[in-house]
Structure formats: structure tokens, C-alpha cells
Amino acid sequence: MMTLRLIVPPDRTGRVIARLADDERLTDLVVLPGAAVRPRGDLVQCEVTREAVSDVLGWLRDQDLYEDGSVVLSEVVSAPSANARATEAAAPGAPDDAIVWDSVLDSAYGEVRGSWSLYAFLTLATAIAAVAVVTDSSILVVGAMVVGPEFGLVAALAVGLAGRRLGLVRGAALLLLKGFGLAIAATVVLVLLARLVGWVDLSDVTGPRPLTGFIWRPDKWSAVVAVLAGCAGVLSQTAGRSSAPVGVFISVTTVPAAGDIALSLALGAPGHLLGAAAQLGINLLGITVAGVATLLVQRALWKTRRRSRAA
């Protein structure tokens, strides 16, 4: 379930309350007249099943609550009461299958705001990946994938493309470009310093790397993994199951390649540079395309289901 908190202009409160009270997929409806200060209005709060959230939000948008009032959604961690269970039973389908598009879109816009921590974590992840290449360590590759924060940006790019929101697409693409560019540039500097003191040389890139050689050798499986990662990433976002393991799965095809690019640039290995760049490009493209396709399929299925329910 999700908590829906509204600030409603007084002239629309009666209409909103009547609509919410009439929906058996809602419970714990509370009204506090005149309680809101900014924006001014009446405070209305209730718990809504995930299956009903999109319907309710669509109606509230038609009432201009998004412009004239306020709408806030938050996840309910636990609702053990019998009343809540009865409300959930009144909503057909499974909660995890319900897609709250407004929440997905809001999360996507939040990702593209950017922050110093995004650049810092992406730089640290790329540097760890470079060390993983030098030491041929699969454990460090996993460590770099855990630290990598690019999962949200790739998902935001897919959401923007699927929803034809050019501003969101532009913001996500620009932040990905800047983030990876800065991370690779910073890692190049670190590798050059390591080379200066004799810690690394060209053989660390061009020598045998049985555990990490896949990073600079893209093949058909690179595209397969990218497609699977894109589908998993978008499903985790829309089903409300976003988690670190999914982010790691996506990073397996991006951050390690960025670390290899930095090493190849600093040590002068053009063959490896092209291979790692191709790996990064193929996987970012594959993840995005798969994410867009997954979103479009979900949207089509959700619309069909809503039409069937209405009929």
C-alpha cells in the first residue's frame, strides 16, 4: 500500500472526499480542514493500494490538484490491521504488478538533478575497476560494480525516451556523458601517477587477463547481458523493487569498461581502448533500448488492463 497526502483547495475538498470515500481500494481516510499553511488548504490523507494509485492520481490531476494543491506519495512499510488487508483484497491483481507512473517519472527527474556524490561514486567505481584490470581481480570488478551509481541515470534515460520527455532524455544523457567523462579523466590522472612511480606499465593492460579480459572484448553476449540488465533495471523501478543487486547487475557492463578505457588511455593501448569503448557503448545502448521496450510493453499491458476493468 501507499500513503497519499493531499493539500486540497477548500472549494474542492467535498468533491475529493466523496471520490476517495467511494473507492473501496482506499482506507484510513483523514480530513483536517484548514490545516495546511503552504499551500493553504485542507489536509486529506489516506492509504491506497498500489493497484488503485494510478487511477486516483489521474482523477486528481483532472481536478487540477497538481497545480492548485499538493500531492505526495510514500510507501507503507507495514499495515497489519484487518482493515488494511480487506482493502488490499478489494483491489484485483498483485501489488507488485501495479505501476505507479507518476512515481516512476518523479524518480527519474530526481536522478537527473545530479550531485557531487554521483560524480564521486562514479569516479571511485571507475578507479576500482582500473585496479581490477591491473590485478586481474574479479572480486574488485564486483566491488567497482557495487560502488557504481549509474543505474538510476540509465533508467531515467529509458523513462524519458518511452515517455517522449525530451528534457528528461537530455538531462540523463548529459549527466551520463559528464559523469563517465569526469570519472575516466580522473582515473587517467591516477594511472599516470601510478605509472610515474613504477606501479603500472603497458603490460598490465596488454598481458593475459583470464578473469577480466571480457571487459575489452565485446561479443554477442555483451548485447545479451545489456538487454537482460535493461529489462531487470526497469522492472525493478516500476515494480517498486529497486535494490542494490539490480544496480550491480547493470554496472557489470559499464563501470568495468570505463576503468579499462582510463587505463588504456594512460598507458597507450589503442586496441584495448577501442574494445573497452565499444563494450561501454554497446551496453549503454542495449540497456537503454531494452529499458524503453520494457516500459512500452508495461504501459500497453497496463492500459489494456484498465480498459478491461472499466468495461
PDB file of all heavy atoms in Angstrom, residues 111-112 114 118-119 122 149-158 161 168-184 250 254-255 258 280 283-285 287-288:
ATOM      1  N   GLU A 111      16.721  11.721 -10.456  1.00  0.00           N
ATOM      2  CA  GLU A 111      18.037  11.191 -10.802  1.00  0.00           C
ATOM      3  C   GLU A 111      18.862  12.171 -11.625  1.00  0.00           C
ATOM      4  O   GLU A 111      20.090  12.221 -11.499  1.00  0.00           O
ATOM      5  CB  GLU A 111      17.890   9.875 -11.574  1.00  0.00           C
ATOM      6  CG  GLU A 111      17.346   8.718 -10.764  1.00  0.00           C
ATOM      7  CD  GLU A 111      18.339   8.200  -9.737  1.00  0.00           C
ATOM      8  OE1 GLU A 111      19.526   8.555  -9.829  1.00  0.00           O
ATOM      9  OE2 GLU A 111      17.927   7.450  -8.839  1.00  0.00           O
ATOM     10  N   VAL A 112      18.215  12.950 -12.491  1.00  0.00           N
ATOM     11  CA  VAL A 112      18.965  13.798 -13.419  1.00  0.00           C
ATOM     12  C   VAL A 112      19.311  15.165 -12.825  1.00  0.00           C
ATOM     13  O   VAL A 112      19.870  16.010 -13.528  1.00  0.00           O
ATOM     14  CB  VAL A 112      18.200  13.991 -14.748  1.00  0.00           C
ATOM     15  CG1 VAL A 112      17.932  12.656 -15.413  1.00  0.00           C
ATOM     16  CG2 VAL A 112      16.889  14.743 -14.536  1.00  0.00           C
ATOM     17  N   GLY A 114      21.509  15.536 -10.564  1.00  0.00           N
ATOM     18  CA  GLY A 114      22.962  15.492 -10.402  1.00  0.00           C
ATOM     19  C   GLY A 114      23.394  15.913  -9.010  1.00  0.00           C
ATOM     20  O   GLY A 114      22.671  16.623  -8.305  1.00  0.00           O
ATOM     21  N   LEU A 118      27.285  11.767  -6.912  1.00  0.00           N
ATOM     22  CA  LEU A 118      27.201  10.951  -8.122  1.00  0.00           C
ATOM     23  C   LEU A 118      28.559  10.898  -8.814  1.00  0.00           C
ATOM     24  O   LEU A 118      29.059   9.808  -9.153  1.00  0.00           O
ATOM     25  CB  LEU A 118      26.150  11.523  -9.069  1.00  0.00           C
ATOM     26  CG  LEU A 118      26.114  10.888 -10.467  1.00  0.00           C
ATOM     27  CD1 LEU A 118      25.433   9.535 -10.412  1.00  0.00           C
ATOM     28  CD2 LEU A 118      25.415  11.786 -11.463  1.00  0.00           C
ATOM     29  N   TYR A 119      29.169  12.062  -9.011  1.00  0.00           N
ATOM     30  CA  TYR A 119      30.477  12.117  -9.650  1.00  0.00           C
ATOM     31  C   TYR A 119      31.529  11.404  -8.804  1.00  0.00           C
ATOM     32  O   TYR A 119      32.402  10.696  -9.338  1.00  0.00           O
ATOM     33  CB  TYR A 119      30.899  13.568  -9.884  1.00  0.00           C
ATOM     34  CG  TYR A 119      30.020  14.314 -10.859  1.00  0.00           C
ATOM     35  CD1 TYR A 119      29.175  15.331 -10.438  1.00  0.00           C
ATOM     36  CD2 TYR A 119      30.040  14.002 -12.220  1.00  0.00           C
ATOM     37  CE1 TYR A 119      28.366  16.019 -11.329  1.00  0.00           C
ATOM     38  CE2 TYR A 119      29.236  14.688 -13.117  1.00  0.00           C
ATOM     39  CZ  TYR A 119      28.402  15.697 -12.674  1.00  0.00           C
ATOM     40  OH  TYR A 119      27.603  16.366 -13.553  1.00  0.00           O
ATOM     41  N   LEU A 122      30.974   7.534  -8.987  1.00  0.00           N
ATOM     42  CA  LEU A 122      31.311   7.014 -10.313  1.00  0.00           C
ATOM     43  C   LEU A 122      32.820   7.040 -10.541  1.00  0.00           C
ATOM     44  O   LEU A 122      33.391   6.118 -11.131  1.00  0.00           O
ATOM     45  CB  LEU A 122      30.589   7.826 -11.393  1.00  0.00           C
ATOM     46  CG  LEU A 122      30.605   7.243 -12.820  1.00  0.00           C
ATOM     47  CD1 LEU A 122      30.134   5.794 -12.818  1.00  0.00           C
ATOM     48  CD2 LEU A 122      29.739   8.077 -13.738  1.00  0.00           C
ATOM     49  N   PRO A 149      27.107   4.209  -9.462  1.00  0.00           N
ATOM     50  CA  PRO A 149      25.764   4.755  -9.248  1.00  0.00           C
ATOM     51  C   PRO A 149      24.979   5.029 -10.523  1.00  0.00           C
ATOM     52  O   PRO A 149      23.963   5.713 -10.488  1.00  0.00           O
ATOM     53  CB  PRO A 149      26.068   6.075  -8.545  1.00  0.00           C
ATOM     54  CG  PRO A 149      27.318   6.542  -9.250  1.00  0.00           C
ATOM     55  CD  PRO A 149      28.096   5.298  -9.643  1.00  0.00           C
ATOM     56  N   GLU A 150      25.440   4.546 -11.677  1.00  0.00           N
ATOM     57  CA  GLU A 150      24.844   4.954 -12.949  1.00  0.00           C
ATOM     58  C   GLU A 150      23.503   4.293 -13.252  1.00  0.00           C
ATOM     59  O   GLU A 150      22.810   4.679 -14.204  1.00  0.00           O
ATOM     60  CB  GLU A 150      25.827   4.686 -14.094  1.00  0.00           C
ATOM     61  CG  GLU A 150      25.936   3.257 -14.562  1.00  0.00           C
ATOM     62  CD  GLU A 150      26.742   2.380 -13.632  1.00  0.00           C
ATOM     63  OE1 GLU A 150      27.154   2.839 -12.537  1.00  0.00           O
ATOM     64  OE2 GLU A 150      26.949   1.212 -13.974  1.00  0.00           O
ATOM     65  N   PHE A 151      23.096   3.327 -12.441  1.00  0.00           N
ATOM     66  CA  PHE A 151      21.846   2.607 -12.651  1.00  0.00           C
ATOM     67  C   PHE A 151      20.647   3.545 -12.795  1.00  0.00           C
ATOM     68  O   PHE A 151      19.840   3.424 -13.712  1.00  0.00           O
ATOM     69  CB  PHE A 151      21.648   1.635 -11.484  1.00  0.00           C
ATOM     70  CG  PHE A 151      20.255   1.105 -11.329  1.00  0.00           C
ATOM     71  CD1 PHE A 151      19.693   0.288 -12.288  1.00  0.00           C
ATOM     72  CD2 PHE A 151      19.516   1.418 -10.202  1.00  0.00           C
ATOM     73  CE1 PHE A 151      18.416  -0.204 -12.127  1.00  0.00           C
ATOM     74  CE2 PHE A 151      18.240   0.935 -10.038  1.00  0.00           C
ATOM     75  CZ  PHE A 151      17.681   0.113 -11.006  1.00  0.00           C
ATOM     76  N   GLY A 152      20.538   4.501 -11.875  1.00  0.00           N
ATOM     77  CA  GLY A 152      19.397   5.419 -11.910  1.00  0.00           C
ATOM     78  C   GLY A 152      19.375   6.290 -13.152  1.00  0.00           C
ATOM     79  O   GLY A 152      18.303   6.577 -13.694  1.00  0.00           O
ATOM     80  N   LEU A 153      20.541   6.714 -13.631  1.00  0.00           N
ATOM     81  CA  LEU A 153      20.604   7.566 -14.823  1.00  0.00           C
ATOM     82  C   LEU A 153      20.174   6.817 -16.076  1.00  0.00           C
ATOM     83  O   LEU A 153      19.468   7.360 -16.924  1.00  0.00           O
ATOM     84  CB  LEU A 153      22.025   8.105 -15.000  1.00  0.00           C
ATOM     85  CG  LEU A 153      22.477   9.192 -14.028  1.00  0.00           C
ATOM     86  CD1 LEU A 153      23.917   9.570 -14.300  1.00  0.00           C
ATOM     87  CD2 LEU A 153      21.569  10.412 -14.139  1.00  0.00           C
ATOM     88  N   VAL A 154      20.601   5.570 -16.198  1.00  0.00           N
ATOM     89  CA  VAL A 154      20.214   4.781 -17.360  1.00  0.00           C
ATOM     90  C   VAL A 154      18.701   4.542 -17.354  1.00  0.00           C
ATOM     91  O   VAL A 154      18.031   4.634 -18.382  1.00  0.00           O
ATOM     92  CB  VAL A 154      20.971   3.447 -17.391  1.00  0.00           C
ATOM     93  CG1 VAL A 154      20.539   2.601 -18.579  1.00  0.00           C
ATOM     94  CG2 VAL A 154      22.476   3.687 -17.464  1.00  0.00           C
ATOM     95  N   ALA A 155      18.150   4.251 -16.173  1.00  0.00           N
ATOM     96  CA  ALA A 155      16.705   4.068 -16.059  1.00  0.00           C
ATOM     97  C   ALA A 155      15.959   5.358 -16.398  1.00  0.00           C
ATOM     98  O   ALA A 155      14.927   5.339 -17.070  1.00  0.00           O
ATOM     99  CB  ALA A 155      16.350   3.600 -14.648  1.00  0.00           C
ATOM    100  N   ALA A 156      16.480   6.499 -15.941  1.00  0.00           N
ATOM    101  CA  ALA A 156      15.852   7.787 -16.250  1.00  0.00           C
ATOM    102  C   ALA A 156      15.874   8.063 -17.742  1.00  0.00           C
ATOM    103  O   ALA A 156      14.901   8.597 -18.306  1.00  0.00           O
ATOM    104  CB  ALA A 156      16.568   8.910 -15.496  1.00  0.00           C
ATOM    105  N   LEU A 157      16.955   7.705 -18.406  1.00  0.00           N
ATOM    106  CA  LEU A 157      17.042   7.879 -19.864  1.00  0.00           C
ATOM    107  C   LEU A 157      15.977   7.047 -20.564  1.00  0.00           C
ATOM    108  O   LEU A 157      15.302   7.526 -21.491  1.00  0.00           O
ATOM    109  CB  LEU A 157      18.439   7.473 -20.343  1.00  0.00           C
ATOM    110  CG  LEU A 157      18.720   7.593 -21.843  1.00  0.00           C
ATOM    111  CD1 LEU A 157      18.568   9.032 -22.312  1.00  0.00           C
ATOM    112  CD2 LEU A 157      20.124   7.079 -22.151  1.00  0.00           C
ATOM    113  N   ALA A 158      15.786   5.808 -20.120  1.00  0.00           N
ATOM    114  CA  ALA A 158      14.768   4.947 -20.718  1.00  0.00           C
ATOM    115  C   ALA A 158      13.365   5.496 -20.475  1.00  0.00           C
ATOM    116  O   ALA A 158      12.515   5.492 -21.378  1.00  0.00           O
ATOM    117  CB  ALA A 158      14.888   3.530 -20.153  1.00  0.00           C
ATOM    118  N   LEU A 161      12.784   8.487 -22.816  1.00  0.00           N
ATOM    119  CA  LEU A 161      12.551   8.084 -24.205  1.00  0.00           C
ATOM    120  C   LEU A 161      11.167   7.462 -24.374  1.00  0.00           C
ATOM    121  O   LEU A 161      10.458   7.752 -25.341  1.00  0.00           O
ATOM    122  CB  LEU A 161      13.630   7.095 -24.643  1.00  0.00           C
ATOM    123  CG  LEU A 161      15.033   7.679 -24.856  1.00  0.00           C
ATOM    124  CD1 LEU A 161      16.061   6.570 -25.018  1.00  0.00           C
ATOM    125  CD2 LEU A 161      15.041   8.594 -26.082  1.00  0.00           C
ATOM    126  N   LEU A 168      13.966  15.312 -20.026  1.00  0.00           N
ATOM    127  CA  LEU A 168      14.474  14.226 -19.201  1.00  0.00           C
ATOM    128  C   LEU A 168      15.554  13.446 -19.946  1.00  0.00           C
ATOM    129  O   LEU A 168      16.595  13.090 -19.372  1.00  0.00           O
ATOM    130  CB  LEU A 168      13.326  13.295 -18.804  1.00  0.00           C
ATOM    131  CG  LEU A 168      13.672  12.118 -17.889  1.00  0.00           C
ATOM    132  CD1 LEU A 168      14.318  12.596 -16.594  1.00  0.00           C
ATOM    133  CD2 LEU A 168      12.412  11.297 -17.598  1.00  0.00           C
ATOM    134  N   VAL A 169      15.321  13.189 -21.242  1.00  0.00           N
ATOM    135  CA  VAL A 169      16.308  12.488 -22.060  1.00  0.00           C
ATOM    136  C   VAL A 169      17.609  13.282 -22.118  1.00  0.00           C
ATOM    137  O   VAL A 169      18.708  12.738 -21.934  1.00  0.00           O
ATOM    138  CB  VAL A 169      15.765  12.250 -23.483  1.00  0.00           C
ATOM    139  CG1 VAL A 169      16.856  11.712 -24.400  1.00  0.00           C
ATOM    140  CG2 VAL A 169      14.581  11.300 -23.452  1.00  0.00           C
ATOM    141  N   ARG A 170      17.479  14.577 -22.371  1.00  0.00           N
ATOM    142  CA  ARG A 170      18.664  15.433 -22.474  1.00  0.00           C
ATOM    143  C   ARG A 170      19.440  15.472 -21.149  1.00  0.00           C
ATOM    144  O   ARG A 170      20.668  15.361 -21.135  1.00  0.00           O
ATOM    145  CB  ARG A 170      18.239  16.845 -22.882  1.00  0.00           C
ATOM    146  CG  ARG A 170      19.390  17.769 -23.244  1.00  0.00           C
ATOM    147  CD  ARG A 170      18.896  19.154 -23.584  1.00  0.00           C
ATOM    148  NE  ARG A 170      17.875  19.138 -24.640  1.00  0.00           N
ATOM    149  CZ  ARG A 170      16.597  19.420 -24.454  1.00  0.00           C
ATOM    150  NH1 ARG A 170      16.166  19.761 -23.247  1.00  0.00           N
ATOM    151  NH2 ARG A 170      15.750  19.389 -25.463  1.00  0.00           N
ATOM    152  N   GLY A 171      18.713  15.594 -20.058  1.00  0.00           N
ATOM    153  CA  GLY A 171      19.362  15.663 -18.758  1.00  0.00           C
ATOM    154  C   GLY A 171      20.081  14.372 -18.393  1.00  0.00           C
ATOM    155  O   GLY A 171      21.218  14.397 -17.902  1.00  0.00           O
ATOM    156  N   ALA A 172      19.431  13.223 -18.640  1.00  0.00           N
ATOM    157  CA  ALA A 172      20.047  11.937 -18.304  1.00  0.00           C
ATOM    158  C   ALA A 172      21.261  11.665 -19.178  1.00  0.00           C
ATOM    159  O   ALA A 172      22.314  11.222 -18.686  1.00  0.00           O
ATOM    160  CB  ALA A 172      19.015  10.818 -18.453  1.00  0.00           C
ATOM    161  N   ALA A 173      21.139  11.922 -20.487  1.00  0.00           N
ATOM    162  CA  ALA A 173      22.254  11.675 -21.404  1.00  0.00           C
ATOM    163  C   ALA A 173      23.446  12.572 -21.076  1.00  0.00           C
ATOM    164  O   ALA A 173      24.597  12.120 -21.068  1.00  0.00           O
ATOM    165  CB  ALA A 173      21.795  11.898 -22.849  1.00  0.00           C
ATOM    166  N   LEU A 174      23.160  13.850 -20.781  1.00  0.00           N
ATOM    167  CA  LEU A 174      24.238  14.782 -20.459  1.00  0.00           C
ATOM    168  C   LEU A 174      24.944  14.385 -19.164  1.00  0.00           C
ATOM    169  O   LEU A 174      26.183  14.434 -19.064  1.00  0.00           O
ATOM    170  CB  LEU A 174      23.676  16.197 -20.348  1.00  0.00           C
ATOM    171  CG  LEU A 174      24.694  17.324 -20.075  1.00  0.00           C
ATOM    172  CD1 LEU A 174      25.728  17.380 -21.196  1.00  0.00           C
ATOM    173  CD2 LEU A 174      23.976  18.667 -19.935  1.00  0.00           C
ATOM    174  N   LEU A 175      24.166  13.969 -18.170  1.00  0.00           N
ATOM    175  CA  LEU A 175      24.764  13.592 -16.893  1.00  0.00           C
ATOM    176  C   LEU A 175      25.581  12.307 -17.028  1.00  0.00           C
ATOM    177  O   LEU A 175      26.639  12.164 -16.396  1.00  0.00           O
ATOM    178  CB  LEU A 175      23.666  13.420 -15.846  1.00  0.00           C
ATOM    179  CG  LEU A 175      24.066  13.579 -14.375  1.00  0.00           C
ATOM    180  CD1 LEU A 175      24.848  14.853 -14.142  1.00  0.00           C
ATOM    181  CD2 LEU A 175      22.833  13.531 -13.484  1.00  0.00           C
ATOM    182  N   LEU A 176      25.113  11.363 -17.845  1.00  0.00           N
ATOM    183  CA  LEU A 176      25.899  10.159 -18.095  1.00  0.00           C
ATOM    184  C   LEU A 176      27.221  10.508 -18.781  1.00  0.00           C
ATOM    185  O   LEU A 176      28.286   9.992 -18.409  1.00  0.00           O
ATOM    186  CB  LEU A 176      25.102   9.193 -18.982  1.00  0.00           C
ATOM    187  CG  LEU A 176      24.113   8.259 -18.283  1.00  0.00           C
ATOM    188  CD1 LEU A 176      23.258   7.534 -19.312  1.00  0.00           C
ATOM    189  CD2 LEU A 176      24.847   7.245 -17.412  1.00  0.00           C
ATOM    190  N   LEU A 177      27.146  11.380 -19.776  1.00  0.00           N
ATOM    191  CA  LEU A 177      28.344  11.781 -20.504  1.00  0.00           C
ATOM    192  C   LEU A 177      29.326  12.496 -19.580  1.00  0.00           C
ATOM    193  O   LEU A 177      30.526  12.184 -19.555  1.00  0.00           O
ATOM    194  CB  LEU A 177      27.956  12.681 -21.679  1.00  0.00           C
ATOM    195  CG  LEU A 177      29.102  13.158 -22.582  1.00  0.00           C
ATOM    196  CD1 LEU A 177      29.781  11.975 -23.246  1.00  0.00           C
ATOM    197  CD2 LEU A 177      28.567  14.124 -23.641  1.00  0.00           C
ATOM    198  N   LYS A 178      28.835  13.452 -18.801  1.00  0.00           N
ATOM    199  CA  LYS A 178      29.700  14.198 -17.886  1.00  0.00           C
ATOM    200  C   LYS A 178      30.258  13.294 -16.789  1.00  0.00           C
ATOM    201  O   LYS A 178      31.443  13.386 -16.422  1.00  0.00           O
ATOM    202  CB  LYS A 178      28.921  15.361 -17.271  1.00  0.00           C
ATOM    203  CG  LYS A 178      28.607  16.484 -18.248  1.00  0.00           C
ATOM    204  CD  LYS A 178      27.572  17.444 -17.703  1.00  0.00           C
ATOM    205  CE  LYS A 178      27.987  18.090 -16.405  1.00  0.00           C
ATOM    206  NZ  LYS A 178      26.953  19.038 -15.908  1.00  0.00           N
ATOM    207  N   GLY A 179      29.396  12.419 -16.261  1.00  0.00           N
ATOM    208  CA  GLY A 179      29.825  11.546 -15.181  1.00  0.00           C
ATOM    209  C   GLY A 179      30.930  10.598 -15.606  1.00  0.00           C
ATOM    210  O   GLY A 179      31.975  10.502 -14.942  1.00  0.00           O
ATOM    211  N   PHE A 180      30.710   9.899 -16.727  1.00  0.00           N
ATOM    212  CA  PHE A 180      31.731   8.968 -17.203  1.00  0.00           C
ATOM    213  C   PHE A 180      32.974   9.716 -17.681  1.00  0.00           C
ATOM    214  O   PHE A 180      34.100   9.243 -17.490  1.00  0.00           O
ATOM    215  CB  PHE A 180      31.175   8.081 -18.308  1.00  0.00           C
ATOM    216  CG  PHE A 180      30.456   6.855 -17.800  1.00  0.00           C
ATOM    217  CD1 PHE A 180      29.079   6.732 -17.935  1.00  0.00           C
ATOM    218  CD2 PHE A 180      31.166   5.838 -17.184  1.00  0.00           C
ATOM    219  CE1 PHE A 180      28.422   5.606 -17.458  1.00  0.00           C
ATOM    220  CE2 PHE A 180      30.512   4.708 -16.702  1.00  0.00           C
ATOM    221  CZ  PHE A 180      29.134   4.592 -16.837  1.00  0.00           C
ATOM    222  N   GLY A 181      32.769  10.889 -18.312  1.00  0.00           N
ATOM    223  CA  GLY A 181      33.913  11.664 -18.772  1.00  0.00           C
ATOM    224  C   GLY A 181      34.802  12.085 -17.622  1.00  0.00           C
ATOM    225  O   GLY A 181      36.040  11.953 -17.679  1.00  0.00           O
ATOM    226  N   LEU A 182      34.187  12.612 -16.549  1.00  0.00           N
ATOM    227  CA  LEU A 182      34.963  13.037 -15.391  1.00  0.00           C
ATOM    228  C   LEU A 182      35.621  11.846 -14.701  1.00  0.00           C
ATOM    229  O   LEU A 182      36.791  11.914 -14.296  1.00  0.00           O
ATOM    230  CB  LEU A 182      34.051  13.773 -14.405  1.00  0.00           C
ATOM    231  CG  LEU A 182      34.712  14.249 -13.105  1.00  0.00           C
ATOM    232  CD1 LEU A 182      35.822  15.242 -13.395  1.00  0.00           C
ATOM    233  CD2 LEU A 182      33.674  14.862 -12.171  1.00  0.00           C
ATOM    234  N   ALA A 183      34.883  10.741 -14.574  1.00  0.00           N
ATOM    235  CA  ALA A 183      35.426   9.557 -13.902  1.00  0.00           C
ATOM    236  C   ALA A 183      36.627   8.998 -14.653  1.00  0.00           C
ATOM    237  O   ALA A 183      37.653   8.642 -14.051  1.00  0.00           O
ATOM    238  CB  ALA A 183      34.341   8.499 -13.771  1.00  0.00           C
ATOM    239  N   ILE A 184      36.516   8.941 -15.982  1.00  0.00           N
ATOM    240  CA  ILE A 184      37.628   8.422 -16.783  1.00  0.00           C
ATOM    241  C   ILE A 184      38.821   9.369 -16.723  1.00  0.00           C
ATOM    242  O   ILE A 184      39.968   8.934 -16.571  1.00  0.00           O
ATOM    243  CB  ILE A 184      37.163   8.192 -18.237  1.00  0.00           C
ATOM    244  CG1 ILE A 184      36.178   7.026 -18.294  1.00  0.00           C
ATOM    245  CG2 ILE A 184      38.353   7.929 -19.158  1.00  0.00           C
ATOM    246  CD1 ILE A 184      35.501   6.849 -19.637  1.00  0.00           C
ATOM    247  N   ILE A 250      23.530  -4.117 -13.563  1.00  0.00           N
ATOM    248  CA  ILE A 250      23.702  -3.169 -14.661  1.00  0.00           C
ATOM    249  C   ILE A 250      25.156  -2.697 -14.743  1.00  0.00           C
ATOM    250  O   ILE A 250      25.727  -2.572 -15.822  1.00  0.00           O
ATOM    251  CB  ILE A 250      22.749  -1.978 -14.479  1.00  0.00           C
ATOM    252  CG1 ILE A 250      21.312  -2.433 -14.788  1.00  0.00           C
ATOM    253  CG2 ILE A 250      23.120  -0.821 -15.388  1.00  0.00           C
ATOM    254  CD1 ILE A 250      20.299  -1.351 -14.769  1.00  0.00           C
ATOM    255  N   THR A 254      29.236  -1.679 -17.545  1.00  0.00           N
ATOM    256  CA  THR A 254      29.535  -0.268 -17.787  1.00  0.00           C
ATOM    257  C   THR A 254      30.775   0.211 -17.040  1.00  0.00           C
ATOM    258  O   THR A 254      31.763   0.604 -17.658  1.00  0.00           O
ATOM    259  CB  THR A 254      28.326   0.607 -17.401  1.00  0.00           C
ATOM    260  OG1 THR A 254      27.927   0.302 -16.057  1.00  0.00           O
ATOM    261  CG2 THR A 254      27.152   0.353 -18.329  1.00  0.00           C
ATOM    262  N   VAL A 255      30.743   0.205 -15.713  1.00  0.00           N
ATOM    263  CA  VAL A 255      31.860   0.722 -14.927  1.00  0.00           C
ATOM    264  C   VAL A 255      33.177  -0.004 -15.216  1.00  0.00           C
ATOM    265  O   VAL A 255      34.213   0.646 -15.379  1.00  0.00           O
ATOM    266  CB  VAL A 255      31.517   0.677 -13.421  1.00  0.00           C
ATOM    267  CG1 VAL A 255      32.761   0.870 -12.572  1.00  0.00           C
ATOM    268  CG2 VAL A 255      30.494   1.759 -13.088  1.00  0.00           C
ATOM    269  N   ALA A 258      34.648   1.412 -18.308  1.00  0.00           N
ATOM    270  CA  ALA A 258      35.176   2.762 -18.104  1.00  0.00           C
ATOM    271  C   ALA A 258      36.556   2.711 -17.463  1.00  0.00           C
ATOM    272  O   ALA A 258      37.459   3.481 -17.820  1.00  0.00           O
ATOM    273  CB  ALA A 258      34.216   3.571 -17.227  1.00  0.00           C
ATOM    274  N   LEU A 280      31.524  -0.423 -23.597  1.00  0.00           N
ATOM    275  CA  LEU A 280      30.723   0.567 -22.879  1.00  0.00           C
ATOM    276  C   LEU A 280      29.570   1.065 -23.741  1.00  0.00           C
ATOM    277  O   LEU A 280      28.417   1.138 -23.282  1.00  0.00           O
ATOM    278  CB  LEU A 280      31.608   1.738 -22.450  1.00  0.00           C
ATOM    279  CG  LEU A 280      30.918   2.878 -21.688  1.00  0.00           C
ATOM    280  CD1 LEU A 280      30.304   2.371 -20.398  1.00  0.00           C
ATOM    281  CD2 LEU A 280      31.911   4.007 -21.396  1.00  0.00           C
ATOM    282  N   ASN A 283      26.813  -1.662 -24.431  1.00  0.00           N
ATOM    283  CA  ASN A 283      25.996  -1.996 -23.270  1.00  0.00           C
ATOM    284  C   ASN A 283      25.091  -0.853 -22.836  1.00  0.00           C
ATOM    285  O   ASN A 283      23.940  -1.087 -22.452  1.00  0.00           O
ATOM    286  CB  ASN A 283      26.901  -2.444 -22.132  1.00  0.00           C
ATOM    287  CG  ASN A 283      27.411  -3.856 -22.349  1.00  0.00           C
ATOM    288  OD1 ASN A 283      26.668  -4.808 -22.180  1.00  0.00           O
ATOM    289  ND2 ASN A 283      28.652  -3.999 -22.745  1.00  0.00           N
ATOM    290  N   LEU A 284      25.585   0.385 -22.902  1.00  0.00           N
ATOM    291  CA  LEU A 284      24.700   1.506 -22.581  1.00  0.00           C
ATOM    292  C   LEU A 284      23.539   1.569 -23.565  1.00  0.00           C
ATOM    293  O   LEU A 284      22.387   1.805 -23.179  1.00  0.00           O
ATOM    294  CB  LEU A 284      25.485   2.822 -22.593  1.00  0.00           C
ATOM    295  CG  LEU A 284      26.365   3.103 -21.375  1.00  0.00           C
ATOM    296  CD1 LEU A 284      27.147   4.392 -21.567  1.00  0.00           C
ATOM    297  CD2 LEU A 284      25.537   3.166 -20.103  1.00  0.00           C
ATOM    298  N   LEU A 285      23.831   1.344 -24.848  1.00  0.00           N
ATOM    299  CA  LEU A 285      22.775   1.354 -25.858  1.00  0.00           C
ATOM    300  C   LEU A 285      21.803   0.205 -25.642  1.00  0.00           C
ATOM    301  O   LEU A 285      20.580   0.391 -25.681  1.00  0.00           O
ATOM    302  CB  LEU A 285      23.397   1.273 -27.251  1.00  0.00           C
ATOM    303  CG  LEU A 285      22.409   1.233 -28.430  1.00  0.00           C
ATOM    304  CD1 LEU A 285      21.589   2.514 -28.477  1.00  0.00           C
ATOM    305  CD2 LEU A 285      23.159   1.021 -29.741  1.00  0.00           C
ATOM    306  N   ILE A 287      21.167  -1.530 -22.880  1.00  0.00           N
ATOM    307  CA  ILE A 287      20.386  -1.343 -21.655  1.00  0.00           C
ATOM    308  C   ILE A 287      19.255  -0.346 -21.887  1.00  0.00           C
ATOM    309  O   ILE A 287      18.110  -0.557 -21.471  1.00  0.00           O
ATOM    310  CB  ILE A 287      21.300  -0.854 -20.518  1.00  0.00           C
ATOM    311  CG1 ILE A 287      22.268  -1.957 -20.089  1.00  0.00           C
ATOM    312  CG2 ILE A 287      20.474  -0.395 -19.320  1.00  0.00           C
ATOM    313  CD1 ILE A 287      23.363  -1.480 -19.173  1.00  0.00           C
ATOM    314  N   THR A 288      19.569   0.754 -22.578  1.00  0.00           N
ATOM    315  CA  THR A 288      18.567   1.790 -22.810  1.00  0.00           C
ATOM    316  C   THR A 288      17.454   1.293 -23.716  1.00  0.00           C
ATOM    317  O   THR A 288      16.262   1.488 -23.423  1.00  0.00           O
ATOM    318  CB  THR A 288      19.230   3.030 -23.433  1.00  0.00           C
ATOM    319  OG1 THR A 288      20.273   3.495 -22.570  1.00  0.00           O
ATOM    320  CG2 THR A 288      18.217   4.136 -23.633  1.00  0.00           C
TER     321      THR A 288
END
